[in-house]
Amino acid sequence: MNFSFALVTIFAASASAFAPTPIAPASTALNMDRRTAAGQIAVGAAVLAGVPSLALADGAKSASTRSRARGIYGQRIAGLEAAVNAGDFGAVAAEKNAFILFNSGAIGGKDEKAVAVKATNEIFAAIRGKDAGALKSAYNAYKTANDLAPITVGINEGQGASNDYDFKSRTAAGSIYQR
């Protein structure tokens, strides 16, 4: 009996070892139903739509925008020469925004901008103090430091503006000769 019990035990063990057993498939990221896949795609699309995309413009401080600001606001500042020489504080104060926009748009570096803002503050301190001499010296120092001079383009000297982005466009300096 011991021998037959041992034989049955060995037979049962070998039968269970070779018997097919159901194997659960391994869980992977690709093992999902359509609803789960659609949900994950929607979440991914929402995340990508929410991420701010890179700007494709040339930027606020490109050479083109600095040139345009220098041309537009620098010409307004350079045009104040007669008002400064006459001591017309109101005319200079009326162009306060030209100084602000020139300092923020035409000047690239932080150090240069700080110097220009300081010079602008000296100009407006002279206006508040009604000191024509201080206004003239501060204005001339500002013009010299920022290399400002009026630009005039006549019809006989050539074309003034080449496109709408040119700072001379739609100004007196932007004359275009037409036959």
Side-chain angles (χ1 to χ4, degrees):
M1 178 104 150
N2 285 339
F3 181 71
S4 37
F5 181 70
L7 194 60
V8 169
T9 305
I10 292 173
F11 179 72
S14 70
S16 67
F18 294 109
T21 58
I23 299 174
S27 177
T28 64
L30 299 176
N31 189 14
M32 65 181 85
D33 61 347
R34 281 187 222 147
R35 181 175 289 161
T36 305
Q40 287 184 352
I41 290 171
V43 168
V47 167
L48 288 177
V51 174
S53 62
L54 296 175
L56 299 176
D58 61 351
K61 289 293 185 176
S62 71
S64 298
T65 55
R66 282 196 304 269
S67 172
R68 185 167 166 82
R70 175 172 286 282
I72 294 172
Y73 307 114
Q75 290 305 299
R76 286 172 54 186
I77 293 168
L80 293 173
E81 183 83 32
V84 169
N85 290 336
D88 187 358
F89 301 115
V92 178
E95 290 292 339
K96 177 182 180 183
N97 288 336
F99 286 95
I100 293 169
L101 293 171
F102 181 85
N103 293 341
S104 67
I107 300 172
K110 288 184 179 182
D111 296 335
E112 294 91 2
K113 188 181 291 188
V115 170
V117 168
K118 183 179 177 191
T120 302
N121 290 339
E122 290 173 4
I123 290 171
F124 286 97
I127 292 172
R128 283 189 296 277
K130 302 288 186 192
D131 187 355
L135 173 62
K136 188 172 183 177
S137 65
Y139 175 78
N140 288 331
Y142 185 86
K143 273 183 47 177
T144 304
N146 293 303
D147 193 29
L148 295 176
I151 296 175
T152 56
V153 177
I155 293 174
N156 295 328
E157 284 123 24
Q159 183 168 327
S162 61
N163 61 22
D164 282 343
Y165 197 73
D166 191 349
F167 70 88
K168 295 175 286 207
S169 177
R170 294 180 295 277
T171 66
S175 61
I176 297 177
Y177 176 72
Q178 295 180 350
R179 293 179 192 200

